[in-house]
PDB file of all heavy atoms in Angstrom:
ATOM      1  N   GLU A  20      -1.202  -1.892 -20.585  1.00  0.00           N
ATOM      2  CA  GLU A  20      -1.967  -2.531 -19.556  1.00  0.00           C
ATOM      3  C   GLU A  20      -1.171  -3.533 -18.673  1.00  0.00           C
ATOM      4  O   GLU A  20      -1.485  -3.662 -17.473  1.00  0.00           O
ATOM      5  CB  GLU A  20      -3.153  -3.251 -20.201  1.00  0.00           C
ATOM      6  CG  GLU A  20      -4.323  -3.569 -19.241  1.00  0.00           C
ATOM      7  CD  GLU A  20      -5.593  -3.963 -19.977  1.00  0.00           C
ATOM      8  OE1 GLU A  20      -5.476  -4.586 -21.020  1.00  0.00           O
ATOM      9  OE2 GLU A  20      -6.677  -3.661 -19.513  1.00  0.00           O
ATOM     10  N   TRP A  21      -0.215  -4.154 -19.202  1.00  0.00           N
ATOM     11  CA  TRP A  21       0.583  -5.116 -18.473  1.00  0.00           C
ATOM     12  C   TRP A  21       1.280  -4.536 -17.322  1.00  0.00           C
ATOM     13  O   TRP A  21       1.619  -5.130 -16.325  1.00  0.00           O
ATOM     14  CB  TRP A  21       1.528  -5.837 -19.428  1.00  0.00           C
ATOM     15  CG  TRP A  21       2.603  -4.876 -20.034  1.00  0.00           C
ATOM     16  CD1 TRP A  21       2.491  -4.152 -21.094  1.00  0.00           C
ATOM     17  CD2 TRP A  21       3.876  -4.523 -19.419  1.00  0.00           C
ATOM     18  NE1 TRP A  21       3.572  -3.375 -21.313  1.00  0.00           N
ATOM     19  CE2 TRP A  21       4.468  -3.641 -20.296  1.00  0.00           C
ATOM     20  CE3 TRP A  21       4.564  -5.000 -18.348  1.00  0.00           C
ATOM     21  CZ2 TRP A  21       5.727  -3.111 -20.040  1.00  0.00           C
ATOM     22  CZ3 TRP A  21       5.756  -4.500 -18.072  1.00  0.00           C
ATOM     23  CH2 TRP A  21       6.391  -3.542 -18.925  1.00  0.00           C
ATOM     24  N   SER A  22       1.680  -3.210 -17.437  1.00  0.00           N
ATOM     25  CA  SER A  22       2.508  -2.548 -16.505  1.00  0.00           C
ATOM     26  C   SER A  22       1.803  -2.279 -15.152  1.00  0.00           C
ATOM     27  O   SER A  22       2.459  -1.920 -14.137  1.00  0.00           O
ATOM     28  CB  SER A  22       3.044  -1.171 -17.070  1.00  0.00           C
ATOM     29  OG  SER A  22       1.942  -0.331 -17.344  1.00  0.00           O
ATOM     30  N   TYR A  23       0.463  -2.399 -15.128  1.00  0.00           N
ATOM     31  CA  TYR A  23      -0.210  -2.020 -13.843  1.00  0.00           C
ATOM     32  C   TYR A  23       0.032  -3.036 -12.754  1.00  0.00           C
ATOM     33  O   TYR A  23      -0.146  -2.653 -11.565  1.00  0.00           O
ATOM     34  CB  TYR A  23      -1.737  -1.927 -14.140  1.00  0.00           C
ATOM     35  CG  TYR A  23      -2.079  -0.640 -14.829  1.00  0.00           C
ATOM     36  CD1 TYR A  23      -2.227  -0.502 -16.191  1.00  0.00           C
ATOM     37  CD2 TYR A  23      -2.343   0.515 -14.071  1.00  0.00           C
ATOM     38  CE1 TYR A  23      -2.577   0.628 -16.789  1.00  0.00           C
ATOM     39  CE2 TYR A  23      -2.671   1.729 -14.712  1.00  0.00           C
ATOM     40  CZ  TYR A  23      -2.781   1.770 -16.025  1.00  0.00           C
ATOM     41  OH  TYR A  23      -3.064   2.978 -16.706  1.00  0.00           O
ATOM     42  N   SER A  24       0.464  -4.235 -13.061  1.00  0.00           N
ATOM     43  CA  SER A  24       0.869  -5.107 -11.992  1.00  0.00           C
ATOM     44  C   SER A  24       2.121  -4.557 -11.238  1.00  0.00           C
ATOM     45  O   SER A  24       2.179  -4.596 -10.025  1.00  0.00           O
ATOM     46  CB  SER A  24       1.209  -6.552 -12.532  1.00  0.00           C
ATOM     47  OG  SER A  24       0.034  -7.117 -13.120  1.00  0.00           O
ATOM     48  N   LEU A  25       3.061  -4.126 -12.002  1.00  0.00           N
ATOM     49  CA  LEU A  25       4.269  -3.468 -11.412  1.00  0.00           C
ATOM     50  C   LEU A  25       3.906  -2.180 -10.632  1.00  0.00           C
ATOM     51  O   LEU A  25       4.370  -1.958  -9.552  1.00  0.00           O
ATOM     52  CB  LEU A  25       5.294  -3.134 -12.477  1.00  0.00           C
ATOM     53  CG  LEU A  25       5.958  -4.407 -13.238  1.00  0.00           C
ATOM     54  CD1 LEU A  25       6.781  -3.873 -14.378  1.00  0.00           C
ATOM     55  CD2 LEU A  25       6.830  -5.109 -12.196  1.00  0.00           C
ATOM     56  N   VAL A  26       2.985  -1.402 -11.244  1.00  0.00           N
ATOM     57  CA  VAL A  26       2.639  -0.129 -10.618  1.00  0.00           C
ATOM     58  C   VAL A  26       1.961  -0.352  -9.328  1.00  0.00           C
ATOM     59  O   VAL A  26       2.215   0.238  -8.257  1.00  0.00           O
ATOM     60  CB  VAL A  26       1.647   0.686 -11.578  1.00  0.00           C
ATOM     61  CG1 VAL A  26       1.168   1.951 -10.857  1.00  0.00           C
ATOM     62  CG2 VAL A  26       2.403   1.017 -12.857  1.00  0.00           C
ATOM     63  N   PHE A  27       0.977  -1.347  -9.288  1.00  0.00           N
ATOM     64  CA  PHE A  27       0.214  -1.617  -8.064  1.00  0.00           C
ATOM     65  C   PHE A  27       1.116  -2.183  -6.953  1.00  0.00           C
ATOM     66  O   PHE A  27       0.869  -1.990  -5.752  1.00  0.00           O
ATOM     67  CB  PHE A  27      -0.955  -2.488  -8.356  1.00  0.00           C
ATOM     68  CG  PHE A  27      -2.078  -1.822  -9.073  1.00  0.00           C
ATOM     69  CD1 PHE A  27      -1.946  -0.561  -9.542  1.00  0.00           C
ATOM     70  CD2 PHE A  27      -3.312  -2.489  -9.332  1.00  0.00           C
ATOM     71  CE1 PHE A  27      -3.003   0.111 -10.206  1.00  0.00           C
ATOM     72  CE2 PHE A  27      -4.316  -1.828 -10.034  1.00  0.00           C
ATOM     73  CZ  PHE A  27      -4.184  -0.525 -10.446  1.00  0.00           C
ATOM     74  N   ALA A  28       2.056  -3.077  -7.358  1.00  0.00           N
ATOM     75  CA  ALA A  28       3.013  -3.657  -6.382  1.00  0.00           C
ATOM     76  C   ALA A  28       3.865  -2.524  -5.766  1.00  0.00           C
ATOM     77  O   ALA A  28       4.046  -2.493  -4.557  1.00  0.00           O
ATOM     78  CB  ALA A  28       3.866  -4.718  -7.057  1.00  0.00           C
ATOM     79  N   LEU A  29       4.312  -1.546  -6.514  1.00  0.00           N
ATOM     80  CA  LEU A  29       5.012  -0.381  -5.933  1.00  0.00           C
ATOM     81  C   LEU A  29       4.143   0.388  -5.039  1.00  0.00           C
ATOM     82  O   LEU A  29       4.627   0.838  -3.975  1.00  0.00           O
ATOM     83  CB  LEU A  29       5.579   0.463  -7.142  1.00  0.00           C
ATOM     84  CG  LEU A  29       6.732  -0.137  -7.951  1.00  0.00           C
ATOM     85  CD1 LEU A  29       6.947   0.732  -9.134  1.00  0.00           C
ATOM     86  CD2 LEU A  29       8.010  -0.251  -7.099  1.00  0.00           C
ATOM     87  N   ILE A  30       2.957   0.595  -5.386  1.00  0.00           N
ATOM     88  CA  ILE A  30       2.016   1.362  -4.562  1.00  0.00           C
ATOM     89  C   ILE A  30       1.806   0.640  -3.194  1.00  0.00           C
ATOM     90  O   ILE A  30       1.882   1.290  -2.081  1.00  0.00           O
ATOM     91  CB  ILE A  30       0.616   1.524  -5.262  1.00  0.00           C
ATOM     92  CG1 ILE A  30       0.737   2.515  -6.399  1.00  0.00           C
ATOM     93  CG2 ILE A  30      -0.397   2.067  -4.326  1.00  0.00           C
ATOM     94  CD1 ILE A  30      -0.442   2.729  -7.217  1.00  0.00           C
ATOM     95  N   ALA A  31       1.616  -0.690  -3.253  1.00  0.00           N
ATOM     96  CA  ALA A  31       1.417  -1.457  -2.033  1.00  0.00           C
ATOM     97  C   ALA A  31       2.688  -1.435  -1.174  1.00  0.00           C
ATOM     98  O   ALA A  31       2.660  -1.339   0.067  1.00  0.00           O
ATOM     99  CB  ALA A  31       1.042  -2.852  -2.293  1.00  0.00           C
ATOM    100  N   LEU A  32       3.866  -1.448  -1.851  1.00  0.00           N
ATOM    101  CA  LEU A  32       5.141  -1.370  -1.055  1.00  0.00           C
ATOM    102  C   LEU A  32       5.276  -0.013  -0.435  1.00  0.00           C
ATOM    103  O   LEU A  32       5.754   0.057   0.734  1.00  0.00           O
ATOM    104  CB  LEU A  32       6.266  -1.690  -2.045  1.00  0.00           C
ATOM    105  CG  LEU A  32       6.512  -3.147  -2.384  1.00  0.00           C
ATOM    106  CD1 LEU A  32       7.487  -3.212  -3.527  1.00  0.00           C
ATOM    107  CD2 LEU A  32       6.992  -3.923  -1.118  1.00  0.00           C
ATOM    108  N   ALA A  33       4.929   0.999  -1.162  1.00  0.00           N
ATOM    109  CA  ALA A  33       5.085   2.378  -0.566  1.00  0.00           C
ATOM    110  C   ALA A  33       4.079   2.588   0.561  1.00  0.00           C
ATOM    111  O   ALA A  33       4.383   3.354   1.497  1.00  0.00           O
ATOM    112  CB  ALA A  33       4.804   3.363  -1.690  1.00  0.00           C
ATOM    113  N   VAL A  34       2.912   1.881   0.597  1.00  0.00           N
ATOM    114  CA  VAL A  34       1.970   2.047   1.645  1.00  0.00           C
ATOM    115  C   VAL A  34       2.259   1.184   2.819  1.00  0.00           C
ATOM    116  O   VAL A  34       2.176   1.705   4.000  1.00  0.00           O
ATOM    117  CB  VAL A  34       0.524   1.780   1.106  1.00  0.00           C
ATOM    118  CG1 VAL A  34      -0.453   1.743   2.177  1.00  0.00           C
ATOM    119  CG2 VAL A  34       0.081   2.716   0.042  1.00  0.00           C
ATOM    120  N   ALA A  35       2.621  -0.072   2.630  1.00  0.00           N
ATOM    121  CA  ALA A  35       2.666  -1.055   3.714  1.00  0.00           C
ATOM    122  C   ALA A  35       4.088  -1.677   3.895  1.00  0.00           C
ATOM    123  O   ALA A  35       4.185  -2.662   4.626  1.00  0.00           O
ATOM    124  CB  ALA A  35       1.672  -2.131   3.534  1.00  0.00           C
ATOM    125  N   GLY A  36       5.096  -1.139   3.193  1.00  0.00           N
ATOM    126  CA  GLY A  36       6.351  -1.804   3.214  1.00  0.00           C
ATOM    127  C   GLY A  36       7.265  -1.465   4.344  1.00  0.00           C
ATOM    128  O   GLY A  36       8.431  -1.879   4.417  1.00  0.00           O
ATOM    129  N   ASP A  37       6.849  -0.645   5.266  1.00  0.00           N
ATOM    130  CA  ASP A  37       7.710  -0.282   6.403  1.00  0.00           C
ATOM    131  C   ASP A  37       7.100  -0.665   7.748  1.00  0.00           C
ATOM    132  O   ASP A  37       5.869  -0.938   7.839  1.00  0.00           O
ATOM    133  CB  ASP A  37       7.937   1.251   6.406  1.00  0.00           C
ATOM    134  CG  ASP A  37       6.631   2.037   6.624  1.00  0.00           C
ATOM    135  OD1 ASP A  37       5.559   1.484   6.211  1.00  0.00           O
ATOM    136  OD2 ASP A  37       6.630   3.074   7.187  1.00  0.00           O
ATOM    137  N   ALA A  38       7.971  -0.794   8.755  1.00  0.00           N
ATOM    138  CA  ALA A  38       7.449  -1.164  10.064  1.00  0.00           C
ATOM    139  C   ALA A  38       6.834   0.010  10.778  1.00  0.00           C
ATOM    140  O   ALA A  38       7.436   1.068  10.799  1.00  0.00           O
ATOM    141  CB  ALA A  38       8.608  -1.732  10.948  1.00  0.00           C
ATOM    142  N   ARG A  39       5.652  -0.116  11.251  1.00  0.00           N
ATOM    143  CA  ARG A  39       4.838   0.995  11.904  1.00  0.00           C
ATOM    144  C   ARG A  39       4.336   0.529  13.232  1.00  0.00           C
ATOM    145  O   ARG A  39       3.960  -0.681  13.419  1.00  0.00           O
ATOM    146  CB  ARG A  39       3.727   1.477  10.984  1.00  0.00           C
ATOM    147  CG  ARG A  39       4.139   1.991   9.630  1.00  0.00           C
ATOM    148  CD  ARG A  39       4.816   3.337   9.723  1.00  0.00           C
ATOM    149  NE  ARG A  39       3.876   4.316  10.274  1.00  0.00           N
ATOM    150  CZ  ARG A  39       3.079   5.026   9.508  1.00  0.00           C
ATOM    151  NH1 ARG A  39       3.122   4.932   8.163  1.00  0.00           N
ATOM    152  NH2 ARG A  39       2.237   5.931   9.989  1.00  0.00           N
ATOM    153  N   SER A  40       4.251   1.476  14.162  1.00  0.00           N
ATOM    154  CA  SER A  40       3.687   1.186  15.425  1.00  0.00           C
ATOM    155  C   SER A  40       2.186   0.959  15.339  1.00  0.00           C
ATOM    156  O   SER A  40       1.530   1.643  14.529  1.00  0.00           O
ATOM    157  CB  SER A  40       3.963   2.291  16.402  1.00  0.00           C
ATOM    158  OG  SER A  40       3.294   2.112  17.651  1.00  0.00           O
ATOM    159  N   HIS A  41       1.600   0.073  16.124  1.00  0.00           N
ATOM    160  CA  HIS A  41       0.170  -0.142  16.088  1.00  0.00           C
ATOM    161  C   HIS A  41      -0.603   1.002  16.714  1.00  0.00           C
ATOM    162  O   HIS A  41      -1.819   1.099  16.494  1.00  0.00           O
ATOM    163  CB  HIS A  41      -0.174  -1.460  16.837  1.00  0.00           C
ATOM    164  CG  HIS A  41       0.590  -2.693  16.340  1.00  0.00           C
ATOM    165  ND1 HIS A  41       0.471  -3.128  15.039  1.00  0.00           N
ATOM    166  CD2 HIS A  41       1.431  -3.481  16.905  1.00  0.00           C
ATOM    167  CE1 HIS A  41       1.229  -4.182  14.878  1.00  0.00           C
ATOM    168  NE2 HIS A  41       1.832  -4.462  16.007  1.00  0.00           N
ATOM    169  N   ARG A  42       0.097   1.817  17.426  1.00  0.00           N
ATOM    170  CA  ARG A  42      -0.566   2.950  18.094  1.00  0.00           C
ATOM    171  C   ARG A  42      -0.770   4.152  17.158  1.00  0.00           C
ATOM    172  O   ARG A  42      -1.461   5.094  17.504  1.00  0.00           O
ATOM    173  CB  ARG A  42       0.235   3.400  19.324  1.00  0.00           C
ATOM    174  CG  ARG A  42       0.354   2.304  20.384  1.00  0.00           C
ATOM    175  CD  ARG A  42       1.071   2.867  21.576  1.00  0.00           C
ATOM    176  NE  ARG A  42       1.247   1.759  22.604  1.00  0.00           N
ATOM    177  CZ  ARG A  42       1.906   1.923  23.728  1.00  0.00           C
ATOM    178  NH1 ARG A  42       2.496   3.073  24.040  1.00  0.00           N
ATOM    179  NH2 ARG A  42       1.971   0.919  24.582  1.00  0.00           N
ATOM    180  N   GLU A  43      -0.221   4.194  15.993  1.00  0.00           N
ATOM    181  CA  GLU A  43      -0.332   5.248  15.112  1.00  0.00           C
ATOM    182  C   GLU A  43      -1.712   5.183  14.429  1.00  0.00           C
ATOM    183  O   GLU A  43      -2.183   4.123  14.016  1.00  0.00           O
ATOM    184  CB  GLU A  43       0.742   5.191  13.987  1.00  0.00           C
ATOM    185  CG  GLU A  43       2.161   5.411  14.553  1.00  0.00           C
ATOM    186  CD  GLU A  43       3.178   5.423  13.343  1.00  0.00           C
ATOM    187  OE1 GLU A  43       2.777   5.964  12.283  1.00  0.00           O
ATOM    188  OE2 GLU A  43       4.278   4.955  13.563  1.00  0.00           O
ATOM    189  N   ALA A  44      -2.350   6.354  14.354  1.00  0.00           N
ATOM    190  CA  ALA A  44      -3.648   6.456  13.742  1.00  0.00           C
ATOM    191  C   ALA A  44      -3.498   6.575  12.234  1.00  0.00           C
ATOM    192  O   ALA A  44      -3.016   7.565  11.697  1.00  0.00           O
ATOM    193  CB  ALA A  44      -4.443   7.609  14.300  1.00  0.00           C
ATOM    194  N   ARG A  45      -3.914   5.539  11.551  1.00  0.00           N
ATOM    195  CA  ARG A  45      -3.869   5.549  10.070  1.00  0.00           C
ATOM    196  C   ARG A  45      -4.825   4.531   9.478  1.00  0.00           C
ATOM    197  O   ARG A  45      -5.215   3.561  10.230  1.00  0.00           O
ATOM    198  CB  ARG A  45      -2.416   5.216   9.517  1.00  0.00           C
ATOM    199  CG  ARG A  45      -1.989   3.847   9.789  1.00  0.00           C
ATOM    200  CD  ARG A  45      -0.695   3.586   8.972  1.00  0.00           C
ATOM    201  NE  ARG A  45      -0.202   2.148   9.263  1.00  0.00           N
ATOM    202  CZ  ARG A  45       0.744   1.627   8.458  1.00  0.00           C
ATOM    203  NH1 ARG A  45       1.209   2.244   7.466  1.00  0.00           N
ATOM    204  NH2 ARG A  45       1.128   0.399   8.759  1.00  0.00           N
ATOM    205  N   ILE A  46      -5.241   4.850   8.316  1.00  0.00           N
ATOM    206  CA  ILE A  46      -6.143   3.869   7.649  1.00  0.00           C
ATOM    207  C   ILE A  46      -5.511   2.600   7.333  1.00  0.00           C
ATOM    208  O   ILE A  46      -4.285   2.572   7.075  1.00  0.00           O
ATOM    209  CB  ILE A  46      -6.717   4.571   6.344  1.00  0.00           C
ATOM    210  CG1 ILE A  46      -7.384   5.898   6.675  1.00  0.00           C
ATOM    211  CG2 ILE A  46      -7.645   3.636   5.643  1.00  0.00           C
ATOM    212  CD1 ILE A  46      -7.824   6.645   5.470  1.00  0.00           C
ATOM    213  N   HIS A  47      -6.157   1.516   7.386  1.00  0.00           N
ATOM    214  CA  HIS A  47      -5.549   0.170   7.143  1.00  0.00           C
ATOM    215  C   HIS A  47      -4.869   0.180   5.756  1.00  0.00           C
ATOM    216  O   HIS A  47      -5.355   0.741   4.813  1.00  0.00           O
ATOM    217  CB  HIS A  47      -6.593  -0.900   7.127  1.00  0.00           C
ATOM    218  CG  HIS A  47      -6.019  -2.310   7.173  1.00  0.00           C
ATOM    219  ND1 HIS A  47      -5.539  -2.995   6.110  1.00  0.00           N
ATOM    220  CD2 HIS A  47      -5.939  -3.128   8.235  1.00  0.00           C
ATOM    221  CE1 HIS A  47      -5.102  -4.108   6.523  1.00  0.00           C
ATOM    222  NE2 HIS A  47      -5.334  -4.274   7.778  1.00  0.00           N
ATOM    223  N   PRO A  48      -3.637  -0.306   5.713  1.00  0.00           N
ATOM    224  CA  PRO A  48      -2.883  -0.283   4.434  1.00  0.00           C
ATOM    225  C   PRO A  48      -3.504  -0.946   3.294  1.00  0.00           C
ATOM    226  O   PRO A  48      -3.395  -0.424   2.091  1.00  0.00           O
ATOM    227  CB  PRO A  48      -1.653  -1.057   4.770  1.00  0.00           C
ATOM    228  CG  PRO A  48      -1.446  -0.888   6.352  1.00  0.00           C
ATOM    229  CD  PRO A  48      -2.831  -0.863   6.849  1.00  0.00           C
ATOM    230  N   LEU A  49      -4.372  -1.930   3.497  1.00  0.00           N
ATOM    231  CA  LEU A  49      -5.125  -2.541   2.386  1.00  0.00           C
ATOM    232  C   LEU A  49      -6.105  -1.636   1.806  1.00  0.00           C
ATOM    233  O   LEU A  49      -6.257  -1.452   0.538  1.00  0.00           O
ATOM    234  CB  LEU A  49      -5.855  -3.781   2.921  1.00  0.00           C
ATOM    235  CG  LEU A  49      -6.642  -4.607   1.907  1.00  0.00           C
ATOM    236  CD1 LEU A  49      -5.666  -5.017   0.736  1.00  0.00           C
ATOM    237  CD2 LEU A  49      -7.315  -5.763   2.452  1.00  0.00           C
ATOM    238  N   ILE A  50      -6.817  -0.825   2.618  1.00  0.00           N
ATOM    239  CA  ILE A  50      -7.856   0.132   2.108  1.00  0.00           C
ATOM    240  C   ILE A  50      -7.083   1.256   1.387  1.00  0.00           C
ATOM    241  O   ILE A  50      -7.494   1.645   0.261  1.00  0.00           O
ATOM    242  CB  ILE A  50      -8.587   0.692   3.279  1.00  0.00           C
ATOM    243  CG1 ILE A  50      -9.435  -0.441   3.970  1.00  0.00           C
ATOM    244  CG2 ILE A  50      -9.560   1.830   2.798  1.00  0.00           C
ATOM    245  CD1 ILE A  50     -10.181   0.015   5.144  1.00  0.00           C
ATOM    246  N   THR A  51      -5.996   1.707   1.959  1.00  0.00           N
ATOM    247  CA  THR A  51      -5.261   2.811   1.253  1.00  0.00           C
ATOM    248  C   THR A  51      -4.671   2.357  -0.103  1.00  0.00           C
ATOM    249  O   THR A  51      -4.811   3.109  -1.042  1.00  0.00           O
ATOM    250  CB  THR A  51      -4.054   3.275   2.185  1.00  0.00           C
ATOM    251  OG1 THR A  51      -4.581   3.650   3.419  1.00  0.00           O
ATOM    252  CG2 THR A  51      -3.325   4.417   1.531  1.00  0.00           C
ATOM    253  N   SER A  52      -4.141   1.152  -0.091  1.00  0.00           N
ATOM    254  CA  SER A  52      -3.551   0.689  -1.412  1.00  0.00           C
ATOM    255  C   SER A  52      -4.669   0.486  -2.465  1.00  0.00           C
ATOM    256  O   SER A  52      -4.424   0.881  -3.576  1.00  0.00           O
ATOM    257  CB  SER A  52      -2.867  -0.709  -1.090  1.00  0.00           C
ATOM    258  OG  SER A  52      -1.822  -0.560  -0.153  1.00  0.00           O
ATOM    259  N   ILE A  53      -5.784  -0.110  -2.075  1.00  0.00           N
ATOM    260  CA  ILE A  53      -6.825  -0.341  -3.096  1.00  0.00           C
ATOM    261  C   ILE A  53      -7.412   1.078  -3.536  1.00  0.00           C
ATOM    262  O   ILE A  53      -7.687   1.246  -4.692  1.00  0.00           O
ATOM    263  CB  ILE A  53      -7.963  -1.147  -2.450  1.00  0.00           C
ATOM    264  CG1 ILE A  53      -7.432  -2.594  -2.239  1.00  0.00           C
ATOM    265  CG2 ILE A  53      -9.174  -1.239  -3.332  1.00  0.00           C
ATOM    266  CD1 ILE A  53      -8.405  -3.541  -1.568  1.00  0.00           C
ATOM    267  N   ALA A  54      -7.532   1.997  -2.584  1.00  0.00           N
ATOM    268  CA  ALA A  54      -8.069   3.339  -3.003  1.00  0.00           C
ATOM    269  C   ALA A  54      -7.161   4.037  -4.023  1.00  0.00           C
ATOM    270  O   ALA A  54      -7.598   4.513  -5.006  1.00  0.00           O
ATOM    271  CB  ALA A  54      -8.273   4.222  -1.754  1.00  0.00           C
TER     272      ALA A  54
END
């Protein structure tokens, strides 16, 4: 159970860790990460 903090941090980094243009159509990174 303790490992899920590391897992979720990696998921959030994979979703929102890069620079993206505001014109790109995509779901908000927070929603994607939580889903």
Side-chain angles (χ1 to χ4, degrees):
E20 198 167 33
W21 64 272
S22 63
Y23 281 95
S24 295
L25 293 170
V26 175
F27 287 6
L29 288 171
I30 291 174
L32 283 168
V34 172
D37 62 332
R39 298 288 297 271
S40 171
H41 303 301
R42 298 181 180 179
E43 295 185 34
R45 65 168 181 168
I46 303 175
H47 194 281
L49 181 59
I50 299 177
T51 303
S52 301
I53 293 178

